[in-house]
Amino acid sequence: MAQPKYRQIASELRDQIVSGALREGDRLPTEPKLQEQYDASRNTVRDATALLVHEGLVHRVPGRGGGMIVRRRATLTFHAHRAEMPAQPTAETDAWRSEVAAQGYAASQDFSLMIRSISPDLAERLHVEPDSVAVLRRCIRYVNSQPSSLQDTYYPMDLAEEIRELLSPKDIPQGTTRLLAERGHEQVAYYDEYVSRMPTPEETNLLGLQPGTSILLHIRTGYTEHRPVRVSFNVLAGDRNQIVTTHGDLRIIARFRPEEAPE
């Protein structure tokens, strides 16, 4: 069964964007030109371009002569298998910044701290009482000045009272994973979960998501030998990130993908 015409038009334009024939920052042909090129009505062309907007591939430029522009964005590869591994011992940076820099992008982040009552599900993950409060440390992370991901990490209150830096409304230069290890709470096991879903209104606002853009959710629970010490919710903009994970002998993979060579 043939596709509706607006989907055919959207498919051809999408192929041009993916192939690089239309590059980031390029303008799409004007509506009159698309109408002429595809022998289509104005409404059909608008339905086609609206589909590309919803997919996050283009955005509308307001005002006269605005039109549609292929979106500028940096796509970050999130290596889940080495996420939050400590950076070099002398580096005054956390692992995320190191990852972004290694891919040739500029990293920045906004940090905030809150004390929150936690849900029964989160209390179960942290093995604390259902009516507990926890420390929430939030980072809004930017790649090339564009919001890319949101990390919300919850720590049990008793742990934060022991390691007072967790209660400081400032970023921790070496990252909390290394800080905990330095204070005798080295995380020796992780439980990872992956979810793809539509964003909440708050996530849409914080990440500047276009309508129809999904998010990738990576949930990590970190354990010492004795207890879970944190749960991190990494919310990644679906149009600006991809998740990669490797298993087994990385030296073999690196023969064919040098970027995956063990550090």
Side-chain angles (χ1 to χ4, degrees):
M1 184 176 179
Q3 284 186 323
K5 194 159 191 175
Y6 80 95
R7 289 192 174 273
Q8 295 176 27
I9 297 171
S11 180
E12 290 192 22
L13 293 173
R14 186 186 303 109
D15 288 345
Q16 292 179 49
I17 293 170
V18 172
S19 69
L22 283 171
R23 296 176 296 179
E24 293 177 1
D26 286 350
R27 289 181 182 273
L28 295 189
T30 63
E31 283 187 359
K33 287 184 178 179
L34 289 173
Q35 288 176 243
E36 180 181 354
Q37 179 180 346
Y38 291 102
D39 188 24
S41 69
R42 184 182 184 187
N43 285 340
T44 297
V45 166
R46 288 195 167 184
D47 287 343
T49 55
L51 193 58
L52 298 179
V53 170
H54 289 323
E55 293 174 8
L57 293 173
V58 301
H59 66 91
R60 300 180 188 275
V61 178
R64 295 183 61 183
M68 297 278 186
I69 292 181
V70 179
R71 293 187 63 195
R72 296 184 184 275
R73 64 182 186 274
T75 300
L76 183 71
T77 300
F78 179 75
H79 292 90
H81 55 284
R82 66 185 188 219
E84 300 171 4
M85 288 178 62
Q88 296 299 322
T90 58
E92 285 299 314
T93 184
D94 62 23
W96 178 80
R97 288 182 182 273
S98 300
E99 182 79 271
V100 175
Q103 295 179 45
Y105 302 128
S108 59
Q109 57 188 14
D110 292 335
F111 172 79
S112 60
L113 181 141
M114 294 159 270
I115 306 297
R116 288 273 183 91
S117 297
I118 58 177
S119 66
D121 173 71
L122 187 52
E124 183 176 353
R125 292 173 188 266
L126 289 173
H127 280 224
V128 297
E129 293 298 321
D131 58 350
S132 297
V133 297
V135 174
L136 166 59
R137 297 178 66 87
R138 167 173 287 179
C139 287
I140 304 173
R141 291 171 161 172
Y142 300 83
V143 176
N144 288 356
S145 300
Q146 181 180 29
S148 176
S149 63
L150 167 69
Q151 183 186 66
D152 280 353
T153 301
Y154 292 84
Y155 298 90
M157 182 57 71
D158 68 294
L159 183 67
E161 290 172 345
E162 174 188 344
I163 303 175
R164 302 297 295 180
E165 288 91 337
L166 293 176
L167 290 168
S168 171
K170 296 181 180 179
D171 194 10
I172 296 171
Q174 75 268 41
T176 54
T177 297
R178 186 187 296 168
L179 172 67
L180 290 175
E182 292 170 352
R183 300 300 177 83
H185 297 277
E186 181 180 3
Q187 294 167 68
V188 296
Y190 300 102
Y191 184 77
D192 285 0
E193 303 164 71
Y194 301 92
V195 179
S196 177
R197 61 166 171 77
M198 297 308 294
T200 65
E202 181 183 32
E203 292 164 348
T204 296
N205 180 56
L206 290 174
L207 295 175
L209 300 177
Q210 293 291 323
T213 304
S214 63
I215 60 99
L216 305 172
L217 176 60
H218 169 235
I219 307 172
R220 168 165 286 186
T221 305
Y223 300 85
T224 68
E225 291 185 355
H226 308 290
R227 64 180 292 191
V229 291
R230 55 88 179 219
V231 179
S232 294
F233 296 85
N234 292 292
V235 180
L236 294 85
D239 61 335
R240 294 161 229 166
N241 294 272
Q242 62 178 1
I243 295 178
V244 169
T245 183
T246 60
H247 306 275
D249 192 336
L250 296 185
R251 294 171 298 177
I252 295 174
I253 297 173
R255 292 178 194 169
F256 306 98
R257 303 187 67 97
E259 70 275 12
E260 296 297 337
E263 298 180 355

